[in-house]
Structure formats: structure tokens, C-alpha cells
Amino acid sequence: MRDVARAAGVSVATISRVVNRSGEVAAPTREHVLEVVRELGYATNRSASALSGGRTGLVGVVLPRMRAPYFDVLVDAIVHALIEHDLRAVICPSLREHGESGLLDTLVPGVTEGAVVVLPSESSAELRAVHERGYPLVVLDPKTPLEPGIPSVSAANTSGAVAAVEHLIELGHRRIGAVTGPPGWCATEERLSGYRAALASVGIVPEPSLIAPADFEVAGGRTAADRLLSLREPPTAVLAFNDNLAVGTCQAARARGLSVPGDLSVVGFDDSAQAALVTPPLTTVRQPLDEMARVAVGLLVRQLAGGSIEPLRIDLATSLVVRGSTAPPTLRGHAVQAA
Amino acid sequence: MRDVARAAGVSVATISRVVNRSGEVAAPTREHVLEVVRELGYATNRSASALSGGRTGLVGVVLPRMRAPYFDVLVDAIVHALIEHDLRAVICPSLREHGESGLLDTLVPGVTEGAVVVLPSESSAELRAVHERGYPLVVLDPKTPLEPGIPSVSAANTSGAVAAVEHLIELGHRRIGAVTGPPGWCATEERLSGYRAALASVGIVPEPSLIAPADFEVAGGRTAADRLLSLREPPTAVLAFNDNLAVGTCQAARARGLSVPGDLSVVGFDDSAQAALVTPPLTTVRQPLDEMARVAVGLLVRQLAGGSIEPLRIDLATSLVVRGSTAPPTLRGHAVQAA
DNA sequence: CTGTTAGCGCTTTCAG
DNA sequence: CTGAAAGCGCTAACAG
């Protein structure tokens, strides 16, 4: 920068001003400086700039290691939402094993201005502690309930599950099973409560044996669904708590010679890229991941700008995408059950 | 840091030494400092550290915006390979529109110590220019041929295609089509040359009409495959240049009432997560993405360490994963053709 | 409008 | 082994 200043015959302050578009600079001076900058291939040293001015333009994106299709689109969405605010993402896998300090450490303090934490494995208290120290934070899709005070955004899990079950009920299903995620997770509990509520609203008492917990992986879904299908009175439809689980459920059905949706209707959750590709294409509850990312980043940006934010918890509406894995129940299903 | 020094009754220099494990520090002093650090929740300001010492611990990962399943695992692999070297990834979508300066700008110079550039849209010359300026760089999966001097790692595309075609030939296929990627891309040209070579080696003259270029998307694959299937003498097998294309090819076949692999065998490329999930599960050429990422990061790290690197271009072996989308050709296929 | 100057928080010789 | 001091490159008052 000093070189540029010398070459352009001005002071470093002027260079700084034109490069950052801050302060008024005479047009000819600006032009000249810009030209010299170009010639010398000068690029501002962001570390120095950050140290001085306090802005790094970097935001931590903390996430558990997971190669779910749900994940990549979320990360992609976050990265691009950030870019729109001229912020860049530093990916911080939340490896609890590595550092004692957990978040404080993974966040690369002193580099990162704030963070979007996805499915945090950190406790609510830890999160709040960091946040209260003045580190801007927003949780995207909290894994477990967060104490108030720390901003978060999720999908409207409950109403999504309600919509899915209502769809099944309208089709004529009465025995509807659920292949859920891990107990205790928000996603699981909220979807479960939607499932129960929708059933209850048409006078069906949710039967505990129709609920099979799993782990959000295909294989787990297969196992859990198989348990459901081996019941004396198996369900004619199941709501899987994500698309992986739905795929696993279809596999379990097929393995028993049941057709989907002929003998068993399956609804997934997420609307991942896979959903439309598998056979049959999955009817599923769509999570508005792009919107969620955009909103989360918006919340973070407002904190970065110093404004405190009003709504501490935001849920974004889901929508049901009807494809080929759901249909009215058939007699054949019952025949098989009777056998 | 000053606070810590004061609280611990030592100088900042000592703090720096214990925190960075540089220089000798008496054990008791070290212990004491560490304790104070913990108590005060001190975390080093990396911007300052970088400005002073020159290391940010940040590496740029430059990639085109793309939500291919191939992509996320590559990114994930890079991120974690980096973590193993205590480096963090700054995601830099290569948005050519935004900045004039292209790479120089997206790389966040002054923050990032080097970069892994995936499928660069930048010209070979630009890349070399940056590299020669002393900015450590490694290209992962070059999109177009790179001039020598800039290190890169790819999958062994040619031999992968050869293996795929040989598999088809062994099954008894003779009329083998190709649904390729965009002409000019390394991935396309190399796989194409493998396809041709394998055919030639058993005396088959590759027929131009059996080669249909597409764009690596499902829909494009469907269209291209449909063109192949509408030929007077359609292929009994096709090698799709990625899994998306393979899925599209299956769809095109199904739309014409052809079964896969009964009437048409299909081989994909990538072995993406989708490959095993679709019906039928795809026989496909596996790209060792994890290995590729690890090797690329290794190459980068060696440059970062100041060592220059020997092999400027590395190809990692692919492997054929045989699943359910390939089978010997049937007469029925010919019957349909005759009709 | 533009130049001067004082640090930002840390690393690193160089003395003690 | 430890402390003092000189910047790293830049920004942000504050003067002119």
C-alpha cells in the first residue's frame, strides 16, 4: 500500500479511501489511484484491515460432519446468502474432540465476525455464553430446544407433519405409522407432535407401536420400517421423518413384496435431491432450506450491524410435495396382512 | 493478551510463546499462563497474529456454484483434509460477474494462504499468473487442460471409461453409446478417449452417431439418451459420463417402455450417493473423491511449507462398481429395435 | 479534499 | 529462560 501511495504520489490514507470507497476523494485522484492499484496488482491485506478496522468479512459456519443431501444444500444456501452480504464462509466442522474450548475455538475468534451454527451439538448454555460475550450467533435448525435469548431459525416441523398426515388421511388411510428420528431432537419431537395432533383431530388415537425411532439414515429407516411392517396389523401408510428414512421404508416394503404406493404409502420429509429421483418419486414435506439460510444470515447480519433483533425464534413454513409414493389404501394390503 | 500478561505477571512475549508452543518456557511458568488463559477465556486474535507472523490458517476453496451430489462430497472431503492440517476452508464461489479481478479477488488475499480451486472457470493463464506470483494453488479436477507448472489432481478418467466399456463388452454388448458431458471439458474428452480406445481394442469402430453430448444434468441426459434410443439401430448399452446423465438415460429408456438393464444397460460415472439409491442401482465408475481431496490438500500444504512439489499432475485411479443397471444384451432388445 | 499520526494485537529479534 | 521494543499493513481521527 505504501508502494502504491508512493507510485501514485499520494498518501496511504487516500489509497485506503479510494479502495474502500470511504470518504470523499476527488475524481481525478481516484482514477489515478485506481490505475496504479491495477498496475501494481495491489490487493488489500485483509488481516491488517481487520486488525485495524475490526472487520474481517468472514463468518463461521459451524456444522456437524454429515454428508446428508439435506446438508449440502443448506451449506450452499448459507454460503450464497452470506456472499450477498459480501461476507464469506469459514467452514468449521464441530469436532468436539479436538479442542477443549469447543465453540470458542472452532469459531476462529479474531477472524470470524459471527457464526451460523447448524444443528449444534453444543449445549444451549454454551451457545448462550458465547452469544452473551458479544459474539453474534444464529442457530440454524436447533438440534435440541434452545433457551430463549439465542436467535434461531427452523422449519415449521409440526405443521409440516400435520400436512403430511392429513394428506394420508384424505387418501383414506387410518393406520398410519411413523419412522422417526432420534428421540429428543427438535426435528423428531416437533414432527411427532404434528403427527399425533393430525391423527387426534380425526379421532384416531396414536398407537405407540406404530412409532419406530431411527437415526435419519437409509439403513436405519429400513430396519425401523420393517418392525412396523411385521406388526400383526401393519400400517397402510407411514410418515418417515426424513427422505433417507423414507427410502429405507420403501426398501423394507419392497423386501417384503409390498409395493409402494400400492400396498404402502410413504411420505418423506426434506424434499432432498434424491426425493424426485428414486422410484417411486417421494411424496415429501419440503423444507425451505434456501429461505431458512437467507433468514438466518439476515438475522446474523443485523446483529453484525449492531442492531439487536426482535424475533428470537423463527419457523419457516414447509409445504407438502405430492409425488408418487402415496395412494389410497387397497384391499390387497389388508389381504396381505391377513395372511 | 495484555490482560493475560498482567494477570499472570509475565510479559506478552511469554504469553505468545506458550500459546504458540514456540521458544522455551519454564514448565511452571507455562502452567500458570495456561491457567490464566483458561480463566480469562482468552483466544488469540488471528488477524493480529496473521499480520505479525504471516499465517492465517485459512485456505480458499474456490468452486463454481453447483449443487451436484458430486460436489458436496468433494467439498466435505477438502474441508476435512484441510482440518487435518489445522487449516480451515474459506468458501469462495467463483462468481466471475462480481469482481473484475477474478481469482485475485475471490481468494481474499491477505487472509488466505493458498487455495484449492475446483473445476476452475478461470483460464489456465490466469491461474498460472496467480501461482507464479507466489500464491500456493492446486487445481482439483481441472475443467479444461492446464498448462504445465500449475499442480492439479484428477481422477483417471480415461482408464475409468475403459473399464466401464470393457465391462459392457464382456457382457456381450457391441453397440455401446455414450452420453457425454460438454465438449472441451477434460472429463468429457478423457472419458471419450477411453471409450473409443476400449471399443477400438476389440475391433469396434466407434460410430459418431452413438455419441450424444449433454450437460451433466438429469434432464440433459434424458434428452441425449432419447436421441440415441431413437436411432434406427439403437445401442444396447450406454456409458453415461456421470450419474446424473445415467439417471436421465434410465428415464429415457423407461419412457420408451424399455427396461434397464433388460433392454438397455447403463453405466454411470462418479458413484455419487444417488447411484446406489435409484432403481435399478447404478453400475458406475467410482471417483476417489476423498483421496483426490486429500492429495490436493497435501500438495497445497507442501507448497505452504515452502517446498516445491514434484509431480505437477496427479491422476487417481477410478474403480468400477457393478450394481444392477448392466446385464447381457437380450434378443428382446433387438425385437424392439426391429419393430 | 488530502496528509499525518496513532495505534489495532501479536510475533520476534535482541538484550538482559 | 524472560522482558522490551519494533514493526506487520491498514484505518480513523484530526489537522490542514
Side-chain angles (χ1 to χ4, degrees), chain A residues 146-167:
Chain A
L146 251 31
E147 45 196 292
I150 126 106
S152 68
V153 4
S154 325
N157 286 312
T158 309
S159 69
V162 166
V165 173
E166 280 176 349
H167 166 66

Side-chain angles (χ1 to χ4, degrees), chain B residues 3-48:
Chain B
D3 299 344
V4 181
R6 199 145 31 204
V10 296
S11 74
V12 293
T14 302
I15 306 294
S16 173
R17 282 192 275 256
V18 343
V19 170
N20 302 306
R21 296 164 194 71
S22 63
E24 301 298 282
V25 179
T29 316
R30 187 210 314 295
E31 293 310 317
H32 182 220
V33 168
L34 250 20
E35 190 166 339
V36 176
V37 163
R38 209 145 6 189
E39 262 170 33
L40 269 54
Y42 166 81
T44 144
N45 176 330
R46 298 233 194 177
S47 290

Side-chain angles (χ1 to χ4, degrees), chain B:
Chain B
M1 177 152 167
R2 220 183 13 239
D3 299 344
V4 181
R6 199 145 31 204
V10 296
S11 74
V12 293
T14 302
I15 306 294
S16 173
R17 282 192 275 256
V18 343
V19 170
N20 302 306
R21 296 164 194 71
S22 63
E24 301 298 282
V25 179
T29 316
R30 187 210 314 295
E31 293 310 317
H32 182 220
V33 168
L34 250 20
E35 190 166 339
V36 176
V37 163
R38 209 145 6 189
E39 262 170 33
L40 269 54
Y42 166 81
T44 144
N45 176 330
R46 298 233 194 177
S47 290
S49 157
L51 181 55
S52 210
R55 302 219 44 205
T56 62
L58 261 24
V59 167
V61 176
V62 184
L63 19 78
R65 176 156 206 184
M66 220 187 240
R67 282 184 181 179
Y70 145 90
F71 242 67
D72 3 289
V73 359
L74 199 49
V75 172
D76 178 81
I78 295 169
V79 167
H80 287 88
L82 247 17
I83 290 284
E84 279 169 20
H85 291 275
D86 202 35
L87 257 17
R88 301 203 125 78
V90 179
I91 305 296
C92 308
S94 55
L95 309 160
R96 304 238 61 193
E97 325 90 54
H98 273 222
E100 299 268 310
S101 27
L103 254 189
L104 260 336
D105 201 59
T106 61
L107 288 180
V108 202
V111 176
T112 263
E113 294 177 39
V116 176
V117 185
V118 182
L119 275 177
S121 42
E122 287 75 16
S123 77
S124 178
E126 277 178 281
L127 256 18
R128 207 208 37 229
V130 180
H131 190 236
E132 280 178 353
R133 273 196 190 190
Y135 187 84
L137 213 57
V138 35
V139 174
L140 188 33
D141 208 351
K143 187 154 81 180
T144 51
L146 252 30
E147 45 195 291
I150 124 107
S152 68
V153 5
S154 324
N157 286 313
T158 309
S159 69
V162 166
V165 172
E166 280 176 350
H167 166 66
L168 258 12
I169 289 172
E170 267 167 32
L171 249 21
H173 294 276
R174 307 293 293 174
R175 267 190 95 61
I176 300 173
V179 172
T180 81
W185 284 37
C186 291
T188 298
E189 302 303 336
E190 292 169 11
R191 290 168 198 178
L192 210 40
S193 91
Y195 160 84
R196 291 203 178 100
L199 250 28
S201 76
V202 293
I204 301 177
V205 189
E207 206 174 290
S209 67
L210 285 181
I211 297 174
D215 61 359
F216 284 142
E217 299 301 326
V218 174
R222 202 161 45 220
T223 310
D226 197 67
R227 198 154 55 246
L228 255 29
L229 295 174
S230 69
L231 252 31
R232 254 185 310 265
E233 231 185 312
T236 62
V238 352
L239 169 60
F241 279 24
N242 80 356
D243 287 343
N244 275 344
L245 260 19
V247 169
T249 300
C250 291
Q251 291 178 352
R254 216 153 16 227
R256 287 178 166 262
L258 263 26
S259 93
V260 176
D263 303 311
L264 182 74
S265 283
V266 176
V267 181
F269 213 109
D270 281 357
D271 193 24
S272 62
Q274 327 249 8
L277 251 37
V278 295
T279 312
L282 249 33
T283 291
T284 187
V285 179
R286 173 165 230 291
Q287 292 207 58
L289 299 183
D290 278 283
E291 281 311 297
M292 287 163 65
R294 206 182 309 282
V295 170
V297 168
L299 248 32
L300 187 68
V301 167
R302 253 190 290 169
Q303 290 180 69
L304 255 23
S308 67
I309 53 185
E310 279 304 301
L312 290 172
R313 156 123 201 210
I314 298 180
D315 283 359
L316 278 95
T318 54
S319 56
L320 186 71
V321 180
V322 179
R323 296 208 183 86
S325 64
T326 48
T330 55
L331 265 12
R332 197 182 143 211
H334 289 286
V336 169
Q337 287 162 30

